[in-house]
Amino acid sequence: MPVAGHRSPPGTAARTQFNLGRALPFLVLILTVVVDLVTPERERFDRLLVAAPALAAVTWSVLGTIGIGLLAVAVRALLSPAREGATARDLIASETVLVMVTAVAAWVSRVRTRYEQDLREVTAVAEVVQRVVLRPLPERLGRFELHLLYVAAAAKARIGGDFYEAVRIPGAVRVMLGDVQGKGLGAVETASVLLGSFRAAVHEARDLAALADRLDEGLARYGAWDPDSDAAERFATVVLVELPDGRDVVRLLSCGHPAPLLQRATGVEPVHFADPSLPVNLAGLAENHHRIEEVPFGPGDRLLLYTDGVSETRDRAGTFYPLELRLRGWAREPAAELPALLHRDLAAYGAGGLDDDVAAVVVDRPPRTD
């Protein structure tokens, strides 16, 4: 999933932690032997050997854990005779304890490895779902460049209630960005329904108003097909964008969504919607006539679409994130760098980091080079 910001090579931190964890049991064995040999004979540091198989269960396989436990048993057997007053009964008792700890550690290792296997399988399925539900955004469609920031709020989640899509159709490029009410799997389900409706209708809809109607219809049909799903009970704010070929304009339709920001040179202003539509799935509550706004969009201009996870991020004083101000300050930055800049700045600004799904799409019209 595209997420802005610098990252270490995949798995680097995990490999470092994993290797250190595998080495810990042997460090315990070595340190125990050294301390036990250099201290007075009345001290019994060999009891610490039980930590070796216990630590091995965290990172080693079942056989590896058993092997480390047996090694600890052998080390204790070698150390015990050197102790003054050590009896066969003491040796048998201490070795029995160590064998029991090793057996328990082997069971823990088996449970852990099964859990890790299940987690790998679930992660693989999640990655497939991600590619199907939220496909990577094309970097370029026609004469426009697209740059994405997407962060799911749930820990370890790859998909949240924010969604996006961009499609090249004959004569134009159409883009959608939306935000489903609420969080969790229900929001993901609603997002997937709206994405499916958009993809099915984007080539056929005569304009953005017709496309918005298809989104409403798709969610209503899904609710009728699966009455037990709460997808039909949720609403979503959506902004639809159309970038026609051969004209220096952009057409926009807002279904209750935050107004995109239009940047020309160093100036930034929100797109004005004289009559925004209701959010998707609330159209039945009142008469809803879609009004499409058309504004100039020439070479060098940029359009930032974003969800309220961006605009409603607050600092410790409760002040909303100053998105317009930040965008003005980044006017000279390459468009491709804006998602990374925004991600880092949001994470630093938020009092608790990013506690909501965040999505932003930069639509860039590069200057002419001829």
Side-chain angles (χ1 to χ4, degrees), residues 92-155:
I92 293 173
S94 59
E95 295 288 40
T96 300
V97 171
L98 189 48
V99 169
M100 292 176 62
V101 171
T102 299
V104 173
W107 175 79
V108 171
S109 176
R110 180 173 179 80
V111 172
R112 192 204 83 241
T113 52
R114 283 184 175 179
Y115 172 78
E116 289 176 347
Q117 177 63 32
D118 291 343
L119 183 60
R120 283 192 293 269
E121 292 176 358
V122 170
T123 300
V125 171
E127 290 174 349
V128 173
V129 172
Q130 170 194 326
R131 290 193 293 269
V132 173
V133 177
L134 283 179
R135 299 179 296 200
L137 197 67
E139 294 183 359
R140 189 177 187 95
L141 286 176
R143 56 183 178 172
F144 305 100
E145 295 181 359
L146 306 174
H147 308 287
L148 172 69
L149 167 64
Y150 189 93
V151 182

Side-chain angles (χ1 to χ4, degrees), residues 161 163 179-184 186-188 190 230-231 233-237:
F163 55 95
D179 181 5
V180 177
Q181 165 220 6
K183 299 179 182 179
V188 174
T190 305
D230 69 346
E233 303 300 323
R234 295 175 183 264
F235 65 86
T237 65

Side-chain angles (χ1 to χ4, degrees), residues 250 252 258-262 269-274 293-295 303-304:
V250 56
L252 305 101
L261 296 180
L262 183 61
E269 62 181 4
V271 175
H272 176 66
F273 291 97
E293 304 292 341
E294 184 174 286
V295 297
L303 185 69
L304 177 65

Side-chain angles (χ1 to χ4, degrees), residues 180-201:
V180 177
Q181 165 220 6
K183 299 179 182 179
L185 294 177
V188 174
E189 182 182 11
T190 305
S192 67
V193 173
L194 291 172
L195 282 165
S197 299
F198 178 85
R199 291 163 183 163

Side-chain angles (χ1 to χ4, degrees), residues 237-248:
T237 65
V238 175
V239 61
L240 298 172
V241 176
E242 184 175 79
L243 301 150
D245 295 341
R247 294 191 61 196
D248 293 339

Side-chain angles (χ1 to χ4, degrees), residues 3 6 68 110 150 196 246 255 275 321 331 363:
V3 177
H6 174 73
I68 291 172
R110 180 173 179 80
Y150 189 93
C255 297
D275 187 15
Y321 182 72
V363 181

